[in-house]
Amino acid sequence: MTDFRRFNLKTLDDLRGDLDALGLELPISGNTGVLGEKVTIGDRDLPNRFVIQPMEGVDGDPETGAPTELTYRRYKRFADGGSGLIWAEAVSVVPEGCSNAKQMRITEENLDHYKKLVEETKAAGRAEFGHDLQFVVQLTHSGRFSRPGGVVTPLKVQHNPFLDETLGMSDVEPVSDDYLDRLQDDFVKAAKLSAEAGFDGVDMKAVHGYLIAELLGSHTREGKYGGSYENRTRFLRETAQRMMAELPKSTFVTSRTTVLEPCPYPYGWGVVPEAGKNWEVDLAEPKRLMKECFEMGMPMFNVSVGFPRFQPYMNRPHDNSLVGEGNPPEYPLVGVERFQQTVREMQQSLPECPVPTAGLAWLRHLMPEVAAGLVEEGWCSLIGLGRGAFAYPELVKDILKEGTMDPSKCCTTCSMCTQIMKDGVGCGGCVLREKEIYGPELKKGRVAAKAKGLA
Ligand SMILES: Cc1cc2nc3c(=O)[nH]c(=O)nc-3n(C[C@H](O)[C@H](O)[C@H](O)COP(=O)(O)O)c2cc1C
Ligand code: SF4
């Protein structure tokens, strides 16, 4: 591991210097025009290569699960910014699967609010650019990380000593096959409501240790959802097939799927299937799943890696950690490169399936040339923006017009937006760039955490 140090790069030459010194590889290209190219996703075109990746704002109505004024505002700002595809954050399909008291949840009763969210977001994109952006919603169940009403209520799918002990969940019994059968119906129902609301696509969230991601590695679970590859991937594949059969043709089905749930075998996913040693990456099964999903009719496949709770340096390389956590164990550039190499391996195993990348925020104003390099060299088809878009929603506009970003507007990977999400009390957004709105929200969560004696 490299020693941790913070971002201190001014120019692309500085970046090249660090990459060379550390033996890392990231393609860099001055041809940022490539980022403005149209991309075909199944039967539709995206106006450019930028995707807003899902970013939970923790600002849903705690009573109804509907979006609120802050939610409408966040998505309108993303649309004003110019991305061709907005991937809305995790929206729970059942009350018990919410990750916090204010996670959004789509129901028959609150459907009009989601219709409004889609209409306003799409109208903003049309007004600013004359383009029709695609809007995907991420449907989720938080599994062992469920916290409905703010109360930790784990719904795990298998015993996993590596997670159970750390999370204090050894005594929790895994959910039954009957529960998972009913949950398939809940996902399909939420997908139909999403189509009715006007979303162009529906994502079955299978990343970051949440329920469907955990199922992928449920080697020790008995019954039809555990053991063999076919059983472990059954929930995702069967539910997606049901969605494809039951949704109108105008709504596509996709998934943001983990390619690495890092636990020693027989736990974990995307790891070498050999017991008795620490985990090592093996993407054979994630690649197989992506190919099957593509052949089944998913027009694109979004990916991520790791548990944000335990390896945040893998999925959101950062300079500042959450309160109470030490510095990351490595120089964040190493994490940026590792994420891009992983996406590269997935994308190049199936070049005809568009795969977006993520994890680029740490690069700040040096991101556009790296993004252009990644696209030119075929490491990914789309450039995903997470924290970068929270901080600087108009960055796409700037890159497409000027080819550059304003360094004074960039995300600094300070982790304050994640802190808000973890505390689960305030509403989430960029504390650094929108202090007036999100500063007090951060404070609310911190005060509540301290009152409970937490870090
Ligand atoms: C505050 C916050 C909320 C997030 N919410 C989600 C989410 O709802 N669904 C998801 O798949 N990823 C979520 N992510 C992960 C991001 O989509 C993205 O993969 C990650 O931030 C790394 O990309 P970046 O460097 O562009 O930020 C979240 C990340 C942050 C920081
Ligand atoms: S609060 Fe803002 S600057 Fe800090 S990590 Fe989040 S988006 Fe980036």
Side-chain angles (χ1 to χ4, degrees):
M1 284 243 176
T2 47
D3 288 341
F4 171 72
R5 61 182 195 274
R6 294 197 165 80
F7 184 90
N8 187 23
L9 306 170
K10 290 201 169 51
T11 64
L12 288 170
D13 280 343
D14 295 341
L15 175 61
R16 285 190 188 96
D18 270 9
L19 291 169
D20 287 348
L22 295 167
L24 304 175
E25 184 191 1
L26 274 182
I28 297 176
S29 164
N31 179 21
T32 52
V34 76
L35 302 172
E37 288 173 356
K38 282 201 170 85
V39 188
T40 301
I41 302 291
D43 59 0
R44 59 202 80 196
D45 284 340
L46 302 180
N48 56 54
R49 291 190 182 269
F50 286 102
V51 180
I52 302 293
Q53 288 284 19
M55 295 283 290
E56 242 186 280
V58 207
D59 52 18
D61 182 324
E63 301 301 321
T64 66
T68 60
E69 287 311 314
L70 276 177
T71 325
Y72 297 125
R73 178 180 182 275
R74 272 191 300 118
Y75 284 95
K76 187 168 171 308
R77 281 161 55 86
F78 288 150
D80 284 341
S83 287
L85 171 56
I86 297 181
W87 203 291
E89 71 208 73
V91 172
S92 188
V93 299
V94 285
E96 73 273 14
C98 287
S99 62
N100 60 71
K102 290 187 289 133
Q103 183 167 53
M104 294 204 286
R105 192 159 55 80
I106 189 162
T107 63
E108 274 149 11
E109 293 72 32
N110 66 25
L111 188 58
D112 283 347
H113 297 270
Y114 284 88
K115 285 185 180 164
K116 179 175 162 190
L117 181 68
V118 174
E119 267 165 32
E120 291 192 358
T121 305
K122 291 196 145 213
R126 265 193 301 273
E128 190 71 25
F129 297 94
H131 69 207
D132 270 319
L133 60 82
Q134 293 285 303
F135 202 4
V136 171
V137 62
Q138 181 174 68
L139 299 180
T140 192
H141 183 301
S142 301
R144 64 168 64 232
F145 297 105
S146 297
R147 231 180 355 154
V151 182
V152 175
T153 318
L155 290 163
K156 67 187 198 188
V157 304
Q158 69 169 347
H159 293 296
N160 176 338
F162 300 95
L163 300 179
D164 288 349
E165 279 164 30
T166 320
L167 295 166
M169 295 174 186
S170 303
D171 295 339
V172 175
E173 281 308 311
V175 294
S176 65
D177 281 4
D178 280 351
Y179 180 82
L180 293 174
D181 290 344
R182 286 197 304 277
L183 192 60
Q184 283 206 16
D185 299 338
D186 294 320
F187 266 93
V188 175
K189 184 174 170 201
K192 285 183 177 168
L193 290 172
S194 304
E196 209 181 321
F199 286 103
D200 302 286
V202 173
D203 158 27
M204 290 180 64
K205 181 177 189 178
V207 283
H208 302 154
Y210 295 117
L211 188 133
I212 306 181
E214 185 172 29
L215 275 171
L216 297 176
S218 60
H219 299 271
T220 62
R221 185 185 168 95
E222 298 194 341
K224 68 180 188 183
Y225 292 108
S228 66
Y229 167 87
E230 286 74 15
N231 283 355
R232 287 180 282 115
T233 58
R234 178 188 301 281
F235 189 93
L236 178 56
R237 288 181 299 103
E238 278 185 5
T239 316
Q241 264 160 341
R242 285 183 56 191
M243 287 180 183
M244 285 174 201
E246 295 184 39
L247 292 184
K249 290 289 161 253
S250 51
T251 314
F252 67 88
V253 179
T254 182
S255 178
R256 191 174 202 204
T257 296
T258 180
V259 299
L260 174 65
E261 299 279 292
C263 281
Y265 188 83
Y267 305 96
W269 161 255
V271 297
V272 174
E274 228 179 278
K277 54 195 274 192
N278 206 354
W279 62 268
E280 275 173 38
V281 178
D282 176 354
L283 298 185
E285 286 195 341
K287 285 181 195 166
R288 175 177 170 188
L289 180 60
M290 175 171 72
K291 187 161 184 289
E292 287 171 1
C293 287
F294 186 65
E295 287 170 355
M296 188 199 294
M298 286 191 192
M300 65 183 298
F301 199 75
N302 200 347
V303 296
S304 189
V305 299
F307 300 105
R309 184 80 159 260
F310 304 118
Q311 299 96 5
Y313 59 94
M314 279 190 170
N315 43 52
R316 51 173 178 81
H318 54 281
D319 280 352
N320 293 90
S321 302
L322 297 178
V323 175
E325 290 180 6
N327 282 334
E330 63 185 13
Y331 181 35
L333 180 59
V334 175
V336 173
E337 196 246 15
R338 185 191 300 114
F339 197 105
Q340 306 317 312
Q341 291 283 6
T342 307
V343 174
R344 174 194 200 179
E345 198 177 331
M346 294 299 293
Q347 176 68 87
Q348 293 185 347
S349 75
L350 196 64
E352 59 275 34
C353 174
V355 178
T357 192
L360 294 169
W362 183 85
L363 292 172
R364 299 159 170 84
H365 60 286
L366 304 177
M367 183 273 279
E369 286 82 358
V370 173
L374 295 171
V375 169
E376 274 194 345
E377 298 293 323
W379 289 35
C380 64
S381 304
L382 295 156
I383 299 300
L385 306 169
R387 294 161 295 171
F390 252 17
Y392 182 178
E394 68 277 25
L395 86 172
V396 174
K397 207 187 293 186
D398 286 0
I399 295 170
L400 295 181
K401 272 198 190 146
E402 320 288 343
T404 56
M405 288 169 71
D406 178 346
S408 72
K409 294 182 177 175
C410 290
C411 167
T412 61
T413 67
C414 71
S415 292
M416 286 192 279
C417 49
T418 310
Q419 187 69 57
I420 294 177
M421 185 167 73
K422 180 172 180 230
D423 292 340
V425 175
C427 297
C430 183
V431 181
L432 186 73
R433 305 292 177 207
E434 290 201 288
K435 279 192 196 66
E436 325 68 49
I437 300 180
Y438 295 110
E441 298 297 321
L442 175 69
K443 202 164 168 193
K444 279 186 210 166
R446 292 287 66 223
V447 169
K450 280 184 197 140
K452 284 193 202 153
L454 302 171

